[in-house]
Amino acid sequence: MTNPITKLFTREADKIKRDGLAARMRRWFKEISRPFSIALAIPPVLIMRVMRPWKLIRFCAFYTPAIGHFAANTELYLCERDAGINLPGKPHRDIFYLRAGKTPCNWQLLTMWKRVLRVWPTWIADPMVRVNRLIPGGEIHQVPVEPWISISPANTQFDSDVHNLLDRFAPHLGFTEEEEARGKAGLRAMGIPEGAAFICMIVRDGAYWSKLNAIASHRDSNIQDYVLAAEELANRGYYLTFRSFREAVSQFYIG
């Protein structure tokens, strides 16, 4: 029978080969520090509970695996907030955070959401959420999620604008002057003159979210099917940029 300690070291050695020593050390640190972070989260959670009659603190995890939900769900949360929809009916403050171990699908979008939302570091918010769930009565401190799918923030209908709020409210996101300058420089690098009309064409294929492709392949397309449309737009004076998840841009053929 293999010694359990030997098995442990063998397993960790395999993980180091797979992930690298630095990644494993970060994982070890998280596992070791987790009990301490949970313990440190207990006092602020108790204070949060005591404050509830005067100020309700709610936590909401970003839904970050897919950029569509990361953008649309969050934008509609803000629109519904501005319209007074799905609010708790008392003074409150919503705090957003990234779930522990989750990597956002788009760092630029996260940077921009941080400008308009109150976003706490994961190492602070996640332990507080865990402790809050352990103490009965903590549901009110979470931005409610639809009962059959855990996508946050919860809106009337996820990323569907059923109240036509996008027509009523200005976008909550905007680029800084520095970001605008970077974007213009990128366009010039692609040969697109400043002020010229351009279209970004993104075509989904089987390489996008490949783990779920078995149930979502009906949404895939082929970038070559857009040749006629691209030619017509080019003839009308538009510049086009292309993005296909499987095929390189150079494979898109016109003419």
Side-chain angles (χ1 to χ4, degrees):
M1 181 179 294
T2 305
N3 188 303
I5 297 179
T6 303
K7 290 177 62 177
L8 173 63
F9 278 99
T10 301
R11 184 170 64 249
E12 286 301 319
D14 292 339
K15 291 180 179 179
I16 290 173
K17 291 179 182 178
R18 184 191 65 196
D19 304 330
L21 179 59
R24 290 308 300 166
M25 290 183 67
R26 288 194 296 269
R27 181 66 179 178
W28 295 336
F29 177 78
K30 288 180 181 179
E31 294 297 331
I32 293 172
S33 62
R34 180 171 295 173
F36 298 99
S37 63
I38 294 294
L40 291 173
I42 294 175
V45 169
L46 295 177
I47 294 172
M48 179 180 72
R49 294 292 187 94
V50 172
M51 290 174 50
R52 187 161 68 191
W54 301 277
K55 174 78 76 171
L56 173 63
I57 305 298
R58 304 193 305 173
F59 288 95
C60 183
F62 283 117
Y63 186 74
T64 59
I67 192 170
H69 288 298
F70 192 18
N73 288 46
T74 315
E75 175 65 20
L76 286 174
Y77 158 86
L78 289 166
C79 289
E80 292 195 355
R81 183 194 67 181
D82 294 347
I85 299 172
N86 290 330
L87 297 181
K90 63 189 304 183
H92 68 284
R93 179 166 294 182
D94 289 347
I95 297 170
F96 285 74
Y97 69 101
L98 289 174
R99 287 190 176 93
K102 300 296 183 181
T103 301
C105 58
N106 189 287
W107 287 100
Q108 174 63 27
L109 187 54
L110 176 62
T111 297
M112 297 173 75
W113 282 134
K114 286 181 177 180
R115 297 175 192 153
V116 295
L117 292 167
R118 188 173 288 103
V119 181
W120 280 16
T122 301
W123 65 272
I124 295 177
D126 190 73
M128 290 186 64
V129 171
R130 292 174 183 270
V131 170
N132 180 63
R133 289 173 178 169
L134 293 174
I135 304 174
E139 294 81 6
I140 194 174
H141 292 283
Q142 301 177 43
V143 175
V145 294
E146 213 282 340
W148 63 274
I149 185 169
S150 180
I151 292 181
S152 300
N155 309 316
T156 301
Q157 191 62 38
F158 310 124
D159 57 348
S160 298
D161 184 19
V162 295
H163 300 293
N164 294 323
L165 299 178
L166 296 177
D167 293 333
R168 293 172 50 192
F169 296 99
H172 291 84
L173 292 182
F175 293 114
T176 64
E177 291 184 2
E178 189 271 337
E179 289 167 344
E180 290 277 2
R182 281 165 44 200
K184 291 177 181 178
L187 290 175
R188 289 194 298 271
M190 290 188 288
I192 301 176
E194 186 168 347
F198 66 93
I199 295 173
C200 299
M201 182 177 290
I202 302 177
V203 178
R204 171 181 173 141
D205 57 31
Y208 176 76
W209 222 352
S210 56
K211 291 185 294 184
L212 295 180
N213 200 50
I215 61 174
S217 59
H218 62 283
R219 303 172 69 180
D220 294 342
S221 187
N222 187 330
I223 196 170
Q224 300 299 333
D225 294 338
Y226 295 83
V227 170
L228 292 178
E231 288 178 336
E232 179 60 27
L233 289 169
N235 290 335
R236 296 188 182 193
Y238 291 93
Y239 288 83
L240 283 87
T241 65
F242 307 98
R243 177 68 168 92
S244 179
F245 294 91
R246 175 172 291 151
E247 299 184 65
V249 173
S250 60
Q251 292 176 291
F252 188 81
Y253 176 74
I254 298 179

